[in-house]
Amino acid sequence: MSDAAQPTAAEVRAAAEAVKAALDRHLAAVERRTGDDDTAVYEAFNALAAAAEGYDELLYDRYDEVTPFEIPGADGALPPYAGPDEPHALSLLIRRDYAVAEPQRLLAQARRVAEIDGGPDTTGPAARAGVSPLAALGVLFGEFEPDEIASRHKEFGLEEGDSTLWVTAAGELPEPGEWLNAPFEHADPERIICRFDVSAVFDEDDHHDDHGGEGADGSGS
């Protein structure tokens, strides 16, 4: 940013005062809370997040410094938490992307697993696993837990892409089988307790953005 476009010291000071005032309003709203869904608390939270984000930006633009704290949702990645204060159940929503980097390794490993389970096979599942990537993936993901696939992905000819884990709150555990037909249909960002993202983009940001940002181990809230 050029000197002409930089905020003034007075503007940074005013933004700091706005954060202080927002903190006072937020505390007052929390002290007067009437229940778990008190809208005044959420409105004060949003105002505090906006004030903190504005101050952080001006502070960096003017002084090349950042604040030592992060308001959840201030970067727009997550809305303010609107779930229960005392959740009685949790849902873990996980997505992991992989590229099939070495198809022949994938096929060989799947055929080996299928043969261990069923013996030598020239026409059945093991044979199909050795020539069909779809069959191979079905064999491997049917044999190994997702966490083991993640830790051994190179062994299976896979290359990691982005991944994310959402920890979401619920009032109670759903009935057995209740959501199996549409497991991700009701994922509610406002019920996220924390989330952890892994992506190569964070490594790139570290090279180009020295004033902070979320690390590759997650964007938590």
Side-chain angles (χ1 to χ4, degrees), residues 60-199:
Y60 176 72
D61 289 344
R62 175 70 186 184
Y63 299 111
D64 200 26
E65 293 289 346
V66 294
T67 56
F69 55 84
E70 179 181 348
I71 302 293
D75 62 355
L78 293 176
Y81 177 72
D85 287 340
E86 298 183 9
H88 298 291
L90 300 174
S91 292
L92 304 185
L93 308 179
I94 301 174
R95 172 172 173 169
R96 293 179 176 137
D97 288 354
Y98 297 97
V100 180
E102 299 181 67
Q104 293 307 313
R105 180 182 291 273
L106 170 71
L107 297 173
Q109 290 284 23
R111 183 181 180 96
R112 181 184 63 80
V113 169
E115 288 181 343
I116 290 174
D117 289 343
D121 184 0
T122 57
T123 59
R128 290 194 296 274
V131 296
S132 166
L134 286 178
L137 290 169
V139 167
L140 291 177
F141 280 88
E143 179 71 17
F144 301 105
E145 294 289 335
D147 286 345
E148 187 169 3
I149 294 286
S151 65
R152 300 173 58 185
H153 62 277
K154 291 183 179 179
E155 179 182 336
F156 301 133
L158 303 177
E159 179 180 300
E160 285 183 312
D162 289 355
S163 69
T164 188
L165 165 65
W166 292 14
V167 182
T168 64
E172 59 185 19
L173 200 65
E175 293 295 324
E178 181 177 327
W179 49 257
L180 290 179
N181 289 333
F184 305 111
E185 186 176 44
H186 300 295
D188 185 354
E190 292 189 348
R191 286 181 171 261
I192 295 176
I193 298 172
C194 56
R195 64 177 285 178
F196 301 93
D197 301 329
V198 177
S199 174

Side-chain angles (χ1 to χ4, degrees), residues 18-19 22-23 25-26 41-53 80:
V19 173
L23 278 168
R25 288 195 297 271
H26 182 260
V41 174
Y42 296 124
E43 290 173 357
F45 176 94
N46 289 335
L48 175 57
E53 182 179 19

Side-chain angles (χ1 to χ4, degrees), residues 4-43:
Q6 284 185 351
T8 65
E11 288 173 329
V12 179
R13 173 62 60 180
E17 294 300 327
V19 173
K20 297 175 187 178
L23 278 168
D24 288 338
R25 288 195 297 271
H26 182 260
L27 177 57
V30 170
E31 290 173 337
R32 296 193 301 267
R33 181 196 295 272
T34 58
D36 291 345
D37 298 323
D38 192 325
T39 56
V41 174
Y42 296 124
E43 290 173 357

